[in-house]
Amino acid sequence: MSKPAELAPGVRHWRHYLDAGRQKLLVDEIFQLAKDAPFYHAGMPRTGQRLSVEMTNFGKLGWYSDAAKGYRYEARHPLTGATWPPIPATVLATWEETAGYPAPPEACLVNLYRNGARMGLHRDQDEEALDAPVLSISLGDHALFRFGAARARASSRSIGLESGDVLVFGGPARLMFHGIDRVYTASSTLIPGGGRINLTLRRVTRPG
Ligand code: SIN
Ligand code: MN
């Protein structure tokens, strides 16, 4: 395993952690699984305004949001009513190798960025297990990821995330602000139909 760069206390970045072959297999698996769990546009709490990113989930719990009930985790797909597909083995292995957490993740959010989709600055704070880090895997088009100190938005900085990169943020950085300012269209040919996929792994409930 290559050594990560420590971008800030609690923020570790592995460039090209997954090689091209494993990226391709993983993308094929994601689209295969998404046949049973189709991508949807979540809505903002209260207003219902659609997020530009398309989403689906793998794992026991999936992240969802709509006008009526806001941000939350659901055990079933909001449109099909089925439980979410399992988290791919490569993804679970990546968590085991890099997260340094004694229990498996429960949620794997799949974000699909196309047509200029972006993700505004936010914190991941819908989980009970805030002692577990957040792990993200980037696939496809390169993106500009903005992240900040635990509280101050003013001190945010940016890093390019490329296909195969793994980013883990936990400890003092677990509640840092972060978002995707920009996706560089056609900077990769990995994703069928183009775009970027980000997998975000989280432990939601406290283990044990
Ligand atoms: C997210 O914070 O949900 C997504 C981050 C990313 O796409 O890299
Ligand atoms: Mn997030």
Side-chain angles (χ1 to χ4, degrees), residues 151-184:
R151 270 160 251 283
R153 284 162 182 258
S155 66
S156 71
R157 41 189 276 228
S158 296
I159 180 184
L161 290 181
E162 300 181 2
S163 197
D165 284 10
V166 168
L167 188 80
V168 172
F169 54 96
R174 177 59 182 76
L175 292 174
M176 73 177 187
F177 282 94
H178 60 280
I180 293 291
D181 283 346
R182 192 169 164 197
V183 175
Y184 298 94

Side-chain angles (χ1 to χ4, degrees), residues 109 111 119-120 122-125 134 145 169 176 178-179 198 200 202:
L109 172 65
N111 287 319
M119 173 87 63
H122 65 278
R123 300 201 285 187
D124 290 8
Q125 54 185 357
V134 175
F145 178 81
F169 54 96
M176 73 177 187
H178 60 280
N198 175 264
T200 299
R202 304 189 193 103

Side-chain angles (χ1 to χ4, degrees), residues 39-45 47-55 63-67 70-71 109-122 126:
F39 286 95
Y40 55 80
H41 285 277
M44 295 288 283
T47 64
Q49 194 192 337
R50 277 161 45 126
L51 302 187
S52 59
V53 177
E54 294 171 74
M55 300 177 165
W63 188 88
Y64 186 62
S65 176
D66 60 12
Y71 303 145
L109 172 65
V110 185
N111 287 319
L112 175 61
Y113 295 79
R114 279 184 176 146
N115 306 316
R118 294 190 293 182
M119 173 87 63
L121 276 181
H122 65 278
D126 303 320

